[in-house]
Amino acid sequence: MTMKPENQSLQSVNIEGPVCPTPLPHNDRIVLGHGSGGRMSHDLIARTFFAAFSNPALTARDDAARLLTSSGEQLAISTDSHVVSPLFFPGGDIGRLAVCGTVNDVAMLGAEPLWLTAGFILEEGLEIETLQRVVASMQAAAQEAGVQIVAGDTKVVQKGKADGLFITTTGIGVIRPGVNISGAGARPGDVVIISGPIGDHGIAVLQARGELGFDSDICSDTAPLNGLVSALLSANAAAVHVLRDPTRGGLATTLNEIARQSQVGILLEEDRIPVRPAVAAACEMLGFDPLYVANEGKLVAIVAPHAAQDVLDAMRSHAYGTEAAIIGRVEAGAPGQVLMKTAIGGTRVVDMLAGEMLPRIC
Ligand code: MG
């Protein structure tokens, strides 16, 4: 299935017979698209959760909530549920993902993640050995990230009521003094940096499901990014305006979120966006656009132009940023929109993911 951005929907195309352009409103029942991380997720969150729970920390729409303690310290807190299928895939597993996903969301506020909690929903019949492998992987990832898993919960549901194992993690970190990073911080003139090639995670999980239809050696990029964040902030913390990890919905959706939060335009250059040849080939065959494929070990940094080279150099000197690249810039025109200069010289709109492309990817 090719997942087209909404502005390229089928409405203007003359097709006989029933046409079902995505997204349909789906106001009465949950559909898979509500979990995509794209437009339908955003609509559901705004209508249901923001409407009920509205408060400034929540509706800031960042990867983690920023909370000020009475002693003047700023905390970052984030929570994330993990339902990836299969549980193990090249380059990672649900345990590593559950630790890294939450560590990264806390780190994207410029915080040092310190503690995690973990809630497990286990399906009756799950092999204890499988659970132990997942837990060992979580501990290895936590050790790599320098965080401790300090509280947890275990529930078991009947066979058929869950798919093996789901994990929810919550993370707490302390925001470094003087750091003010938010999706609303992008300014015209800023430089857009990606920490490495996009699309590895989504394609690796598809491969593990046997849905690629051919062999490849693509591995998920699942990794804790707090060390990379420390490295790039060391280069010039004040110049780093936005950090975000492009997970579900991919780079395109993440940049659209930032463009809307900051009320700026973002102009990408297609031929500067790193994509591994194997991922590009898989996307080509499957009809996917790598801009919409999930990553679990990449971050976008939006940085003041005078510091962009220093931040890029700092990223490239870290193991998880060796292939970092400048891929575009922030502009005052077209606020809320992402545009891309294509490799063949045109310019196109890059919209947020509209429906669901790859369910159960994280
Ligand atoms: Mg995130």
Side-chain angles (χ1 to χ4, degrees):
M1 178 182 75
T2 303
M3 197 68 230
K4 291 188 174 175
E6 200 177 39
N7 64 316
Q8 295 175 4
S9 75
L10 299 173
Q11 283 155 0
S12 60
V13 183
N14 184 18
I15 296 177
E16 289 183 3
V19 172
C20 182
T22 54
L24 292 170
H26 295 299
N27 285 327
D28 49 356
R29 290 195 192 263
I30 292 296
V31 297
L32 283 171
H34 286 127
S36 67
R39 184 185 307 283
M40 291 180 72
S41 301
H42 282 255
D43 289 348
L44 178 71
I45 290 165
R47 274 207 319 267
T48 307
F49 301 120
F50 285 1
F53 306 140
S54 180
N55 62 71
L58 179 70
T59 55
R61 295 171 182 259
D62 281 321
D63 279 354
R66 186 192 314 272
L67 303 169
L68 186 64
T69 68
S70 56
S71 58
E73 212 166 29
Q74 287 198 95
L75 301 179
I77 183 164
S78 188
T79 194
D80 210 338
S81 294
H82 301 272
V83 298
V84 68
S85 174
L87 299 176
F88 300 89
F89 46 84
D93 57 77
I94 192 170
R96 181 168 174 83
L97 199 57
V99 169
C100 296
T102 293
V103 161
N104 293 348
D105 280 341
V106 169
M108 294 306 129
L109 245 58
E112 189 56 68
L114 297 172
W115 301 291
L116 299 187
T117 70
F120 295 86
I121 296 174
L122 310 176
E123 183 189 8
E124 180 188 19
L126 178 73
E127 291 182 4
I128 297 286
E129 190 265 338
T130 303
L131 179 60
Q132 284 172 337
R133 275 175 70 199
V134 168
V135 168
S137 178
M138 289 180 80
Q139 176 53 19
Q143 200 158 356
E144 182 185 351
V147 299
Q148 287 183 315
I149 298 168
V150 294
D153 180 51
T154 309
K155 298 285 194 305
V156 179
V157 297
Q158 299 95 325
K159 194 161 188 60
K161 303 291 185 185
D163 192 3
L165 162 64
F166 301 146
I167 307 175
T168 298
T169 46
T170 298
I172 297 178
V174 177
I175 298 175
R176 294 166 176 83
V179 167
N180 186 20
I181 291 170
S182 158
R187 299 167 203 169
D190 284 355
V191 171
V192 181
I193 303 172
I194 183 83
S195 63
I198 60 169
D200 295 4
H201 176 73
I203 299 300
V205 173
L206 270 193
Q207 173 181 265
R209 288 181 194 164
E211 290 177 13
L212 271 195
F214 55 91
D215 286 337
S216 89
D217 55 359
I218 299 163
C219 282
S220 168
D221 55 354
T222 306
L225 297 175
N226 52 325
L228 178 62
V229 170
S230 291
L232 71 89
L233 290 177
S234 301
N236 190 333
V240 179
H241 296 157
V242 183
L243 293 173
R244 187 158 293 183
D245 54 343
T247 52
R248 281 176 308 169
L251 179 63
T253 298
T254 291
L255 291 176
N256 269 280
E257 290 169 0
I258 295 167
R260 287 167 199 199
Q261 269 180 275
S262 297
Q263 276 304 297
V264 295
I266 293 177
L267 181 65
L268 297 175
E269 293 187 44
E270 185 173 27
D271 53 13
R272 289 184 171 216
I273 300 173
V275 185
R276 293 187 205 287
V279 170
C283 285
E284 181 99 340
M285 287 186 62
L286 297 165
F288 292 147
D289 182 338
L291 285 172
Y292 294 90
V293 179
N295 312 276
E296 290 291 345
K298 296 293 162 5
L299 64 81
V300 174
I302 297 188
V303 181
H306 66 86
Q309 191 60 49
D310 288 347
V311 169
L312 182 66
D313 291 344
M315 289 171 73
R316 285 182 174 164
S317 68
H318 190 276
Y320 291 135
T322 55
E323 295 170 88
I326 291 173
I327 57 170
R329 63 175 186 269
V330 178
E331 301 198 316
Q337 274 206 325
V338 180
L339 300 173
M340 184 166 75
K341 274 194 215 165
T342 64
I344 54 168
T347 301
R348 74 169 172 95
V349 174
V350 176
D351 208 343
M352 190 174 273
L353 180 64
E356 178 58 290
M357 194 164 80
L358 302 169
R360 306 274 307 267
I361 208 77
C362 59

